[in-house]
Amino acid sequence: MAKRFIRISDHPTWQSNALCRGVIGIVLLWIPDIQARDFYFDPASLEGDAQLHQDVDLSLFSNSKAQLPGVYHSQILINDQQYDDQDLHYVNQQDGALVPQLTPAILRKWGVRVEAYPALAALPENTPLPKPLGDFIPAAQAQFDFNSLTLNISMPQAAIAHRSQGEVDPSRWDDGVPVLFTDYSFSGSQNSGSDEDATNQYLNLRNGVNIGGWRLRNYSTYSKNDDDQNWSALQTYIQHDVKNLEAQFTAGESSTRGEVFDSLEYTGINLVSDEEMLPVSQRGFAPTIRGVANSNAEVSIRQNGNLIYQATVAPGTFEINDIYSTSNSGDLDVTIKEADGTEHHFTQPYSAVPLMQRPGQIRYEITAAHYRASSNSGENEPAFAQASAIYGLNNAVTLFGGLMGAQDYWAAVSGLGVALGEFGSTSVDMTYASATLDSGEQSQGQSWRVLYSKNLETTDTHFTLASYRYSTSGYYDFADANRKYDPKNEDNNNDLSFYYNKRNKLQVNISQAFLGSSVYLNGYQQDYWGTNRKDRNLSTGFNTTISGISLFSAYTYSKMGSGKDDRVLSLGISVPLSRWLPNSWANYSLSNSKRGDTTQSLGINGTLLDDQRLSYSMQQSHTNHDSSDNSSIYSSYRSQYAILNAGYSYSSDRSRQLSYGASGAIVAHPQGVTLAQPLGDAFAIIDANGAQGVRFQNQRGIQTDLFGNAIIPSLTAYQENRIGIETTTLPLDVDTSETAITLVPTRSAAVYAHFEAHIGYRAMITLTRQDGRSVPFGALASADDLPISGIVAENSELYLSGASDNMPITVSWGKEPDKQCHALISLPESDVQSGNPAGVRYVQAQCFQEKSHVVKTQ
């Protein structure tokens, strides 16, 4: 029976009789059957003419819960705790609602104890669960809120492993792909116009090979001037993670860490704990917070007024040992808020010197090697063995010590770090050493060291490090003990290496903040036994910003031994010019030295281009000593292939200098060879499916090359690194279904990332069927070979992004074969229509019922 639709509002009686309208309205309100009835909307009415009626399957859109399946960038909440956002694939369940395609690998990433549920653990790691999550983990459920793109997961607490803040599952650590690279830095200058011309060039190379988890590295330099040139290989070593020990193994030429003993260059093997493998919240020193909760309580921890930790704990005793180390000092204010709203407060004193460790943590280093002396120093290079360890005993005490031995030298050190509560923290250690010098003289002695650190919260004064070392006359550290002695050299009587060894060393670093300004003081003094020689260095300064205008002043003093002292006073101001020239500043500085030379400089500097990849500086200076003037210009450009810089200066004495340089990398990897900016430690190799010109968020100048590859430098090892595509700058012929990816590289790894980019255009396609009828409104269209889809709108119009020439598509408005058709999209040769900045191409295509009948259309 055909449905008949009557618009009663068109009836003349209805329009003229207000009383009739009122009576009918009351009757409608009183009839329960009418109230409960579901009214039907005929989708055919969207097509206008009843003769053109076509059966369109719009069931998906008639359900309020239903949405199109696909990949959505989702916010993840597990038991109301936020996890990192992630792209997830969703499918429709029977009621049309979207459900996520979760895999055991994804659940492991979120800290779910997959092994505790045998049926779940037996599934392949990357295969979606065949049944709802609750069928594998009782009481677990996942619900997707499409409006906020949030996946809410409710999970029994027993199913989730405890994890520290910032913890990344080691199973996600990526050793990367095999690569061969060279990371270079080149600089040169050409001086002319003075007494004689001069040319200088310098090249620094960091070469590397990655195979599996092994890293081979070589550091070499080349220098050249008019009279000489020199190649020098500084270090060559191979390195590998030792994940079970949270350490790094190194063999070859490198240097020790220098925490308990002084840092030494060596050739040999070394095993050292790697704090970067720990979660961010476990690095550095922070005390363990213990307390008692009477209910499900919220524990909040603040330092210097900032909330640095918040978590909910169960009734009973609790222990918090994963607080982020935000500074070396600043007492912790702990608040326990019970379920009924009552609060308890207490203060945990906190101050740390660099050696201090969290309770129960250990840091260690073991080395067996030959000592490597400084270049051209002529020092002895004996074999030695060294071991040291630092252990956090409790919140107040850290113990440390070490042993070192060589043929003519041995030393032992022991010490402890102590938290003094509101008075800061300190560490004291003593080193005893026995040495046979190159002259044959036997010498023994001790060296005492005291470190102190404190933040005075009332005045916001930071003693970041204050240290004092006293050594007896017979004490030699390992480097000094290996100085060579030449009895034929009469100058040996004045050689500090043998007779004037170190006595006292004092170092202080203080910073003070007030009213938005900062003042700093850094001081150093070293003296020696048997002489009145003193090495001194002092620097102090002041910085402030007022209404965007920056002011600074600085004073430095230095004196090395019996040489002349040097003093420099500097003042400066920097004014933003953003009202007239974006990202630019005008600056003025004045500098005065002890000799009475006063130099004044006036200039402008800033950045240009859309991602500020071009920087520039122009300066004009004048010196009163010889009334000389100097003009200079300098610029640096961060291209996708390297960082380039050039400068030119001209002086009133007609001397000129041209400077130039380049820094970058050449990387050979499984996808080809890519030129890049300097790599840093770990880096990513991006493959964008051959799409050229794809840019990335927060990466100045970096974009994919002709082959669709790019290098993202300076990733953080063992932590999540999010790399996002800058979608606002995508070329007109490029589209992507992925906008971000997360990588977790190991130290010095080259990790691979693939973006499913598509080379194609934005196309507005008008479809007609072979019998002349239009394609129904709401029909679903998808490319046969690519993950590209869309919905047919009115007038048979279909919009697709990422369309390519001669691309086959399938259009479906039902499950039956006669409700599907196929078309071949042929893009016009011309670019875009006039006045169409979006780059949309307009196409007409015929849609055939059988795929075998598809022919190319214009």
Side-chain angles (χ1 to χ4, degrees):
M1 177 177 180
K3 300 180 180 69
R4 183 180 181 187
F5 298 91
I6 301 175
R7 295 179 59 187
I8 62 175
S9 60
D10 292 337
H11 197 280
T13 304
W14 174 267
Q15 293 178 337
S16 61
N17 195 330
L19 178 61
C20 180
R21 294 198 300 268
V23 172
I24 293 176
I26 294 173
V27 171
L28 290 174
L29 290 175
W30 279 0
I31 299 177
D33 290 342
I34 294 180
Q35 283 184 288
R37 181 178 177 184
D38 289 332
F39 289 93
Y40 173 75
F41 173 78
D42 190 351
S45 62
L46 293 172
E47 302 181 39
D49 192 343
Q51 300 297 323
L52 298 178
H53 167 65
Q54 305 174 76
D55 292 329
V56 185
D57 185 2
L58 297 180
S59 59
L60 177 65
F61 304 100
S62 64
N63 190 335
S64 61
K65 295 182 179 180
Q67 298 291 343
L68 283 175
V71 176
Y72 295 96
H73 188 69
S74 310
Q75 181 182 13
I76 310 299
L77 292 179
I78 301 180
N79 295 345
D80 295 327
Q81 182 178 354
Q82 185 167 346
Y83 286 61
D84 294 318
D85 294 357
Q86 183 170 341
D87 289 331
L88 293 176
H89 188 270
Y90 293 85
V91 298
N92 295 111
Q93 59 184 14
Q94 290 184 351
D95 63 355
L98 293 178
V99 293
Q101 294 288 279
L102 301 179
T103 67
I106 293 175
L107 295 175
R108 290 181 196 276
K109 173 185 174 182
W110 294 336
V112 177
R113 299 173 60 239
V114 173
E115 293 78 7
Y117 303 91
L120 182 59
L123 296 176
E125 280 294 288
N126 295 303
T127 300
L129 305 186
K131 296 184 291 185
L133 181 62
D135 289 357
F136 295 94
I137 303 176
Q141 58 179 347
Q143 293 182 337
F144 183 55
D145 184 345
F146 183 82
N147 292 328
S148 62
L149 293 179
T150 300
L151 178 61
N152 293 286
I153 298 179
S154 177
M155 187 76 65
Q157 198 64 39
I160 302 178
H162 172 74
R163 67 171 192 168
S164 300
Q165 295 184 90
E167 181 179 355
V168 178
D169 191 333
S171 65
R172 298 177 57 204
W173 295 354
D174 188 353
D175 285 330
V177 297
V179 294
L180 170 66
F181 70 85
T182 181
D183 200 344
Y184 64 88
S185 177
F186 172 76
S187 62
S189 64
Q190 177 74 47
N191 299 276
S192 60
S194 56
D195 294 338
E196 61 180 26
D197 296 346
T199 300
N200 297 283
Q201 293 179 336
Y202 174 79
L203 176 65
N204 181 293
L205 295 175
R206 183 175 74 96
N207 308 302
V209 177
N210 287 10
I211 300 177
W214 292 97
R215 320 280 185 242
L216 175 64
R217 296 292 183 267
N218 168 264
Y219 295 88
S220 300
T221 62
Y222 169 77
S223 59
K224 178 184 178 181
N225 54 42
D226 291 332
D227 302 321
D228 189 25
Q229 59 181 346
N230 180 59
W231 272 102
S232 179
L234 304 180
Q235 289 184 347
T236 300
Y237 63 86
I238 191 168
Q239 193 172 70
H240 196 286
D241 286 353
V242 185
K243 297 179 182 179
N244 293 337
L245 300 178
E246 295 177 340
Q248 293 289 334
F249 169 78
T250 304
E253 301 168 333
S254 189
S255 59
T256 61
R257 177 183 287 168
E259 292 181 321
V260 176
F261 290 102
D262 292 337
S263 179
L264 298 173
E265 296 281 333
Y266 69 81
T267 301
I269 58 175
N270 173 270
L271 181 68
V272 58
S273 56
D274 190 348
E275 193 178 53
E276 299 297 313
M277 292 186 180
L278 299 174
V280 176
S281 59
Q282 293 284 343
R283 301 175 191 173
F285 173 78
T288 297
I289 305 298
R290 295 180 175 88
V292 178
N294 298 321
S295 61
N296 289 327
E298 182 184 81
V299 179
S300 304
I301 301 176
R302 289 176 170 80
Q303 184 181 43
N304 302 326
N306 300 312
L307 182 65
I308 64 172
Y309 185 94
Q310 189 172 78
T312 300
V313 299
T317 61
F318 64 85
E319 181 178 289
I320 298 173
N321 57 10
D322 59 346
I323 303 171
Y324 281 91
S325 179
T326 58
S327 66
N328 287 331
S329 56
D331 294 343
L332 303 178
D333 178 27
V334 182
T335 301
I336 304 173
K337 185 176 181 180
E338 302 287 355
D340 61 2
T342 59
E343 295 185 357
H344 311 283
H345 300 268
F346 66 89
T347 298
Q348 173 72 54
Y350 170 37
S351 189
V353 291
L355 286 170
M356 295 195 71
Q357 288 290 288
R358 296 170 185 260
Q361 279 192 3
I362 186 170
R363 207 156 73 220
Y364 60 88
E365 182 172 19
I366 302 171
T367 307
H370 276 272
Y371 172 59
R372 294 179 66 225
S374 302
S375 178
N376 301 321
S377 67
E379 298 176 3
N380 294 311
E381 297 184 328
F384 73 94
Q386 184 186 95
S388 62
I390 308 171
Y391 177 72
L393 186 63
N394 52 42
N395 282 345
V397 178
T398 293
L399 304 177
F400 59 92
L403 294 171
M404 180 178 184
Q407 182 176 356
D408 294 320
Y409 185 91
W410 70 269
V413 58
S414 63
L416 56 85
V418 181
L420 304 176
E422 60 182 316
F423 298 104
S425 64
T426 186
S427 71
V428 180
D429 63 80
M430 188 274 287
T431 303
Y432 179 86
S434 175
T436 300
L437 304 180
D438 198 49
S439 62
E441 177 184 345
Q442 297 286 332
S443 184
Q444 296 86 31
Q446 301 89 40
S447 179
W448 295 84
R449 180 178 62 166
V450 179
L451 303 177
Y452 178 76
S453 178
K454 174 58 181 173
N455 175 26
L456 304 177
E457 296 183 38
T458 54
T459 60
D460 201 16
T461 302
H462 300 267
F463 285 93
T464 56
L465 177 65
S467 68
Y468 173 77
R469 181 187 286 276
Y470 171 79
S471 303
T472 63
S473 59
Y475 176 79
Y476 285 83
D477 62 30
F478 189 62
D480 288 343
N482 282 291
R483 306 283 185 182
K484 283 192 175 180
Y485 177 76
D486 184 0
K488 298 180 182 180
N489 188 345
E490 297 179 356
D491 294 334
N492 273 326
N493 291 331
N494 297 317
D495 192 343
L496 297 179
S497 303
F498 296 99
Y499 299 106
Y500 305 147
N501 49 311
K502 299 168 186 174
R503 181 179 182 180
N504 291 293
K505 180 180 178 180
L506 176 65
Q507 181 176 337
V508 177
N509 298 329
I510 303 174
S511 63
Q512 171 71 60
F514 66 96
L515 299 178
S517 306
S518 64
V519 178
Y520 66 89
L521 172 66
N522 302 323
Y524 163 85
Q525 177 173 296
Q526 172 80 62
D527 60 18
Y528 302 83
W529 285 99
T531 178
N532 59 3
R533 164 180 170 164
K534 288 183 173 64
D535 299 334
R536 293 174 176 167
N537 183 274
L538 176 69
S539 62
T540 183
F542 168 82
N543 300 278
T544 190
T545 301
I546 303 174
S547 299
I549 300 175
S550 300
L551 304 169
F552 78 89
S553 64
Y555 173 78
T556 60
Y557 167 86
S558 62
K559 185 177 186 300
M560 299 299 293
S562 58
K564 294 182 179 180
D565 61 344
D566 187 22
R567 306 175 189 177
V568 177
L569 174 65
S570 302
L571 304 171
I573 182 173
S574 178
V575 181
L577 303 177
S578 55
R579 292 182 58 184
W580 304 277
L581 183 62
N583 301 311
S584 63
W585 294 263
N587 53 76
Y588 169 80
S589 63
L590 181 148
S591 178
N592 180 265
S593 67
K594 179 184 177 182
R595 295 186 303 169
D597 295 345
T598 300
T599 300
Q600 300 182 69
S601 179
L602 179 65
I604 183 174
N605 64 281
T607 58
L608 295 172
L609 303 183
D610 53 351
D611 58 357
Q612 303 180 30
R613 60 185 180 273
L614 176 64
S615 62
Y616 64 90
S617 173
M618 294 179 287
Q619 300 288 329
Q620 179 69 41
S621 61
H622 173 79
T623 302
N624 69 338
H625 180 69
D626 51 7
S627 297
S628 64
D629 296 303
N630 184 274
S631 303
S632 66
I633 183 171
Y634 177 85
S635 180
S636 176
Y637 178 73
R638 303 178 71 95
S639 78
Q640 67 187 88
Y641 305 114
I643 300 177
L644 309 174
N645 61 76
Y648 178 80
S649 65
Y650 177 82
S651 182
S652 57
D653 64 0
R654 298 187 177 179
S655 63
R656 297 179 298 275
Q657 182 188 68
L658 172 66
S659 62
Y660 47 88
S663 59
I666 305 172
V667 183
H669 52 86
Q671 302 302 314
V673 177
T674 303
L675 302 180
Q677 296 182 9
L679 299 176
D681 184 50
F683 58 93
I685 301 166
I686 305 298
D687 168 23
N689 251 12
Q692 180 185 355
V694 177
R695 295 187 182 182
F696 303 90
Q697 296 172 359
N698 304 316
Q699 301 291 336
R700 287 190 294 165
I702 296 178
Q703 57 182 310
T704 53
D705 60 15
L706 291 170
F707 307 100
N709 299 323
I711 303 294
I712 305 295
S714 302
L715 303 185
T716 303
Y718 310 109
Q719 294 299 304
E720 292 183 336
N721 296 261
R722 183 183 181 275
I723 298 175
I725 288 180
E726 190 62 71
T727 56
T728 58
T729 61
L730 280 175
L732 293 178
D733 62 343
V734 174
D735 187 43
T736 176
S737 56
E738 292 178 291
T739 58
I741 196 167
T742 300
L743 304 173
V744 184
T746 56
R747 183 171 298 282
S748 305
V751 290
Y752 172 77
H754 176 79
F755 280 96
E756 197 64 42
H758 316 296
I759 301 176
Y761 294 89
R762 300 170 178 87
M764 182 65 75
I765 306 164
T766 301
L767 296 168
T768 57
R769 298 165 66 182
Q770 61 193 97
D771 58 4
R773 292 187 297 169
S774 60
V775 174
F777 170 85
L780 301 179
S782 61
D784 292 356
D785 301 322
L786 296 172
I788 299 173
S789 61
I791 301 175
V792 177
E794 290 184 272
N795 302 320
S796 293
E797 291 181 334
L798 169 66
Y799 174 79
L800 292 179
S801 179
S804 59
D805 195 23
N806 295 326
M807 182 180 72
I809 65 170
T810 297
V811 184
S812 171
W813 55 96
K815 298 180 180 179
E816 296 80 3
D818 62 344
K819 295 181 180 179
Q820 298 180 11
C821 65
H822 308 274
L824 191 67
I825 306 304
S826 179
L827 298 177
E829 294 294 336
S830 59
D831 285 341
V832 297
Q833 291 190 356
S834 177
N836 179 21
V840 178
R841 299 193 176 191
Y842 290 83
V843 183
Q844 291 186 351
Q846 196 167 14
C847 203
F848 293 87
Q849 292 294 131
E850 296 295 335
K851 194 168 185 179
S852 60
H853 294 160
V854 173
V855 295
K856 183 175 180 180
T857 59
Q858 299 296 329

